DNA sequence: AATGAAATTCAAGGGAT
DNA sequence: ATCCCTTGAATTTCATT
């Protein structure tokens, strides 16, 4: 694997910061911010993309605009340690699960989920427990102060 | 507040799904996927944006390309309940903190952090404890099976 | 949904460090 | 070698109809 972050200069960091803030920023806008020409910016952005520093572009969706008003962390623990532990695969089809991590803590996995309501969370937890044969411990999110911030080297 | 998700038809969902997968998809590409004309797609995308369903666009950055190989959840609890609790504000300047939620659980807040190494995490935790006068409980992430999935109604 | 004008992206060639 | 700039052509976006 190539050391992709090596040789990231201040201009590259500016470009990445700008593209995180606005993934559809035009090359002309990026040129204005950095003081470079459009084509210089273009080749730098392409280099960032091919190095994998910029892995892609995505629309930011507001979950509350869909009525998904409740989000929570759900920590899960397999109930039967003798069974093969394939919880992530068994849960992948559940759309309400936005993220799935395995962790080194008291529990085995942490899920990040979004639902409409407390009632919907109850249903989701039952679905999770039966799909993966796990115990769940939920932590409701009250307020998101900030999220998805990026910090560059 | 307007019920922004109301009247999202199958075509809108396709557009959103496509834009989440590729935030720089052109109107022509979106037109091909949906079977609509370019200008019909243009007005639909604009409507999704002005409704706030699509809140913006962003570059996806790969933290590991920067050498940020370790991520963790850090749950924090204020040590002095008599002091005003402004932990999120006191922690906002710390770049390694990618997200900050207040939660209804045993602890008050959960942070999502990224660092280079276990050593760097040690330093970050000390910084968090002194900046916000809190106790910390960390859960190291071993593997990210999936994240940032979006589920549409 | 189609059209034409403006803006943007792209590839090629040349010059400076 | 690498980085940057200019130019002209192809593509994309945008406003009007």
């Amino acid at each position: 694997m190539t050391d992709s972050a090596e040789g990231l200069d201040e201009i590259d960091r500016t470009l990445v910061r700008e593209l995180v803030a606005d993934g559809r920023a035009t090359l002309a806008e990026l040129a204005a911010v950095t003081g470079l020409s459009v084509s210089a910016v273009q080749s730098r952005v392409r280099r960032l993309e091919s190095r994998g520093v910029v892995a892609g572009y995505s629309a930011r969706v507001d979950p509350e605009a869909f009525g998904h008003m409740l989000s929570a962390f759900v920590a899960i623990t397999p109930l039967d340690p003798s069974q093969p532990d394939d919880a992530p695969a068994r849960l992948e089809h559940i759309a309400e699960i936005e993220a799935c991590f395995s962790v080194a803590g008291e529990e085995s996995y942490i899920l990040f989920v979004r639902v409409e309501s407390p009632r919907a969370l109850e249903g989701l937890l039952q679905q999770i427990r039966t799909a993966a044969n796990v115990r769940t411990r939920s932590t409701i999110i009250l307020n998101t102060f900030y999220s998805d911030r990026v910090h560059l080297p």
Side-chain angles (χ1 to χ4, degrees), chain A:
Chain A
M1 155 165 175
T2 72
D3 195 348
S4 337
E6 212 48 58
L8 268 203
D9 63 11
E10 186 51 37
I11 293 178
D12 287 326
R13 281 192 289 272
T14 301
L15 291 173
V16 173
R17 230 181 292 116
E18 214 64 30
L19 284 171
V20 168
D22 177 9
R24 298 200 75 135
T26 66
L27 298 176
E29 288 168 339
L30 298 173
V33 172
T34 55
L36 296 186
S37 73
V38 167
S39 55
V41 167
Q42 178 171 230
S43 58
R44 272 179 183 265
V45 170
R46 270 214 281 260
R47 201 167 43 127
L48 290 168
E49 290 168 353
S50 61
R51 279 181 173 186
V53 174
V54 170
Y57 301 89
S58 183
R60 272 194 302 271
V61 169
D62 177 9
E64 303 205 348
F66 289 136
H68 297 156
M69 309 309 288
L70 177 58
S71 44
F73 293 104
V74 178
I76 70 181
T77 309
L79 286 177
D80 182 353
S82 71
Q83 268 178 217
D85 177 4
D86 54 353
R90 293 168 76 161
L91 297 173
E92 191 163 14
H93 69 98
I94 303 178
E96 287 84 355
I97 302 178
E98 208 172 88
C100 171
F101 310 93
S102 65
V103 296
E106 197 171 330
E107 287 105 347
S108 299
Y109 302 95
I110 293 184
L111 314 176
F112 184 83
V113 308
R114 280 193 204 277
V115 290
E116 265 188 47
S117 61
R119 170 76 60 98
L121 180 58
E122 180 183 33
L124 174 61
L125 292 174
Q126 289 178 357
Q127 196 182 351
I128 289 171
R129 288 191 282 253
T130 63
N133 192 33
V134 291
R135 185 169 68 80
T136 65
R137 181 180 61 88
S138 299
T139 304
I140 305 284
I141 294 178
L142 301 172
N143 188 13
T144 300
F145 288 91
Y146 32 91
S147 70
D148 294 312
R149 306 202 310 181
V150 173
H151 99 274
L152 310 179

